[in-house]
Amino acid sequence: MNNIFSEGTAMSSQRSLMRALGWTDSEMKKPIIGIICAQSDIIPGHMYLDKIAEAVKEGVIAAGGKPVIVPSIGVCDGIAMGHAGMRYSLPSREVIADSAEILARAHAFSGVVFVGNCDKIVPGMLMAAVRLNLPCAFVSGGPMLAGRMHGKRLSLSSMFEAVGAYNAGRIDEAELHEYECSSCPTCGSCSGMFTANSLNCLTEALGIALPGNGTIPMVYSRRIMLAKETGEAVMNAVKKDIRPSDVLTPKALKNAVAVDNAIGASSNSVLHLLALANEMGMSEKDFSIDTFNEVSETVPHICKLAPAGEHYIEDLNEAGGISAVIRQLEEAKLFDGSAMTVSGVSQHERVKNARVLDDTIIRPMNAPYSPTGGLAILKGNIAAEGAVVKKSAVDPAMLRHSGPAKVFDSEEAAMEAISTGKIVKGDVVVIRYEGPKGGPGMREMLSPTSAIVGAGLGADVALITDGRFSGATRGAAIGHVCPEAAAGGPIGIIRDGDIIDIDIEKGEINLRLSDKEIAERLKNFKPLEKPVDGYLKRYRAQVTSASKGAIFAK
């Protein structure tokens, strides 16, 4: 159990460079474990990842390996939100995957531990893990604790909605400042079932991370213990030659979709699981955007966390965590317990002793919030390739809605209208040219959706976009409309006043126009193209539809 540099004169030059690093003879004979760590001082969920990486290091050393920490970039979606910086968030996923691949291959790592936490970092790392197919494991930094203000618990979505309430004149600047100082009280990924926590929970469902990875708060000492255990786990995977191809299988991916629906995860998980399926070489026949609806029809929604409910990730952790969710799903024959995990045991073996400790947080299968899952894929003449909505976060009054379109060609234009009271009850806000190509970069629309909710219109106004939404979004927010406007999609021909019919229960979204009228408009339609340069220009040229995971064309 050594590495390619350990023996023979052919590698003498390489070993001389390792000696320059201070490596001893014995260290140079051990498996080299790359710890790809996304620590940074600009992302709250990443500020202490260096401590997590150091704990992983201890676990690797204890199990007989030689750990090396190397970097990864990352974008804080919350800080990038609401300005041009958000155009770089989803595109960063491809850079993260590429750079992790480069680091691991160039230095001939024997195994890898991926240390990330937030939005596009973990998905990019998952894509890299599949490509590399080296023994590997994942450990996140963990969620932040919920904020508190006047006896009420808060999260980042509370803050964005407070801005909407301030713009609508419902609170004053002093109260807004109080929200600002109270919503995010600790380091960690934002405290609700937002994108970062969704993906970290799904790494457990995929079997590539240890139990607790998705839910143990960053500030708990148990998180450091988990990191050490992950270091030991990757060494066990190296010894037993357990690779991503053994763990990240089609059955694991279906398991992840089941857990996704049960916990009401972020709509962004659709993008990332589709991208992961592509890396795994799965065909659209075996796994596509329609898979989410197929699974949703049979998997009940049993956890309702912020922004959809009053519970937070720390509550899910205390209630038994993802292992308890998996055990309930497996007992209902909705989760394949035979799937292998990085621990070298099946999911069934791993969760056999898990139990629900609070059934108000993880509901019984016979008393769910909804008999169907938390996500829904909509199709219709606006979205022939599909659109995504976090159904679990939609006010019941908005599951069916028809109303006149208010059309905007950018997030900024929509925000100006919402903030100045130009959006009224019954409207359907349409934001286009924010898709993967149109943005470019497919920006999240947390600011507009939060402004709508903050203005008291969450049960009266729908929003559709070819962009996407933060996991912190709630309300009738329908994103990923495909094909996007920049690709000639019908969302680009919608006009102010056109009636849009939405039926989330039936999975339908349609423009109330005849096929003839739609065809005539499309015939004369020339999409806008926003001027960009640098990486975004290259990204726009390579990226594909969100219905395929916004992957690069091959």
Side-chain angles (χ1 to χ4, degrees):
M1 197 180 67
N2 46 22
N3 61 71
I4 69 168
F5 306 110
S6 61
E7 303 291 345
T9 57
M11 290 291 171
S12 292
S13 299
Q14 288 83 346
R15 289 197 297 273
S16 72
L17 291 168
M18 292 171 178
R19 292 183 191 281
L21 291 165
W23 291 20
T24 65
D25 286 343
S26 63
E27 283 180 309
M28 284 192 282
K29 293 179 180 179
K30 295 176 179 179
I32 301 172
I33 306 300
I35 302 171
I36 301 180
C37 176
Q39 191 278 334
S40 77
D41 291 342
I42 192 62
I43 307 177
H46 288 214
M47 64 182 291
Y48 291 142
L49 288 189
D50 54 343
K51 306 295 188 298
I52 301 296
E54 287 295 331
V56 172
K57 214 173 167 181
E58 290 185 41
V60 170
I61 292 169
K66 173 57 183 172
V68 292
I69 298 175
V70 293
S72 171
I73 68 162
V75 171
C76 178
D77 279 27
I79 294 174
M81 198 83 64
H83 59 92
M86 179 48 72
R87 291 196 172 94
Y88 289 88
S89 175
L90 183 59
S92 75
R93 185 188 69 183
E94 315 310 309
V95 176
I96 290 161
D98 291 348
S99 60
E101 175 191 354
I102 289 167
L103 281 165
R105 290 287 187 219
H107 301 102
F109 293 159
S110 304
V112 181
V113 177
F114 291 95
V115 182
N117 211 28
C118 294
D119 298 279
K120 310 309 161 297
I121 295 90
V122 171
M125 289 175 167
L126 282 168
M127 292 163 68
V130 172
R131 288 183 206 170
L132 292 166
N133 202 31
L134 292 168
C136 74
F138 278 66
V139 62
S140 75
M144 69 172 62
L145 299 178
R148 293 180 184 275
M149 178 175 154
H150 301 166
K152 180 182 177 182
R153 294 200 293 174
L154 308 172
S155 67
L156 180 65
S157 61
S158 310
M159 184 64 241
F160 275 86
E161 289 173 16
V163 173
Y166 171 75
N167 289 334
R170 300 174 72 200
I171 63 173
D172 61 19
E173 189 171 352
E175 188 171 355
L176 180 64
H177 182 70
E178 193 172 0
Y179 270 101
E180 182 182 325
C181 296
S182 306
S183 295
C184 300
T186 72
C187 55
S189 48
C190 297
S191 58
M193 189 54 77
F194 310 151
T195 305
N197 292 326
S198 295
L199 268 293
N200 288 327
C201 288
L202 294 189
T203 59
E204 292 188 49
L206 289 165
I208 201 71
L210 302 186
N213 183 60
T215 60
I216 298 170
M218 179 176 261
V219 296
Y220 285 13
S221 296
R222 180 71 185 91
R223 175 61 60 176
I224 298 297
M225 295 165 63
L226 180 71
K228 293 177 183 178
E229 291 163 358
T230 303
E232 294 172 352
V234 79
M235 285 302 298
N236 181 62
V238 170
K239 291 172 186 174
K240 295 184 176 179
D241 197 30
I242 301 169
R243 297 173 181 263
S245 55
D246 302 311
V247 177
L248 298 176
T249 60
K251 70 172 69 171
L253 204 58
K254 293 284 182 69
N255 282 344
V257 177
V259 171
D260 188 307
N261 274 283
I263 63 177
S266 166
S267 59
N268 282 316
S269 60
V270 176
L271 275 177
H272 301 316
L273 291 178
L274 286 169
L276 184 61
N278 175 73
E279 291 288 348
M280 291 165 56
M282 294 183 70
S283 69
E284 286 191 47
K285 180 180 178 182
D286 295 324
F287 192 90
S288 71
I289 196 168
D290 295 320
T291 304
F292 290 84
N293 267 356
E294 293 164 9
V295 174
S296 178
E297 288 174 6
T298 60
V299 175
H301 177 216
I302 58 175
C303 298
K304 203 176 185 75
L305 277 66
E310 299 301 318
H311 300 139
Y312 292 80
I313 298 294
E314 64 199 77
D315 302 321
L316 177 58
N317 186 62
E318 299 302 322
I322 296 301
S323 290
V325 173
I326 289 173
R327 184 176 177 186
Q328 285 205 161
L329 291 173
E330 188 194 6
E331 289 176 347
K333 298 184 172 21
L334 297 172
F335 186 99
D336 191 337
S338 70
M340 178 58 65
T341 71
V342 69
S343 308
V345 300
S346 69
Q347 286 279 14
H348 172 77
E349 186 68 19
R350 177 190 267 190
V351 306
K352 67 181 181 181
N353 296 320
R355 56 197 175 95
V356 174
L357 302 175
D358 187 337
D359 62 11
T360 65
I361 295 167
I362 304 173
R363 285 194 174 184
M365 300 295 282
N366 60 1
Y369 287 101
S370 167
T372 55
L375 291 176
I377 307 300
L378 313 185
K379 290 192 174 183
N381 61 19
I382 295 174
E385 295 175 9
V388 182
V389 63
K390 188 172 180 177
K391 183 172 69 172
S392 60
V394 178
D395 188 294
M398 291 298 290
L399 291 172
R400 293 185 65 188
H401 180 77
S402 295
K406 294 279 182 71
V407 184
F408 306 95
D409 288 341
S410 69
E411 177 189 3
E412 288 83 358
M415 272 301 295
E416 192 278 332
I418 297 166
S419 301
T420 55
K422 294 173 184 173
I423 303 302
V424 299
K425 288 184 177 182
D427 284 346
V428 178
V429 176
V430 178
I431 306 177
R432 59 195 182 192
Y433 296 107
E434 292 289 6
K437 287 184 179 295
M442 202 178 186
R443 288 195 288 180
E444 289 185 345
M445 301 290 153
L446 178 57
S447 294
T449 54
S450 297
I452 288 170
V453 172
L457 296 171
D460 302 289
V461 170
L463 190 153
I464 71 170
T465 179
D466 51 13
R468 59 194 178 90
F469 296 110
S470 164
T473 289
R474 63 187 176 110
I478 299 161
H480 308 203
V481 171
C482 299
E484 61 175 296
I491 189 173
I493 55 110
I494 300 174
R495 298 172 183 168
D496 282 342
D498 286 344
I499 301 300
I500 295 175
D501 298 314
I502 300 165
D503 193 324
I504 293 172
E505 295 286 14
K506 288 185 177 180
E508 296 176 355
I509 180 167
N510 287 290
L511 186 58
R512 198 185 293 177
L513 292 176
S514 68
D515 292 345
K516 181 179 179 181
E517 173 66 16
I518 291 172
E520 189 63 31
R521 289 192 191 182
L522 286 171
K523 181 180 175 182
N524 299 307
F525 174 46
K526 185 178 180 181
L528 296 176
E529 186 172 289
K530 297 175 183 176
V532 290
D533 55 18
Y535 177 54
L536 289 182
K537 187 173 183 178
R538 285 181 281 130
Y539 181 82
R540 181 169 63 193
Q542 293 179 272
V543 73
T544 61
S545 170
S547 65
K548 300 181 184 298
I551 56 172
F552 279 174
K554 292 183 178 179

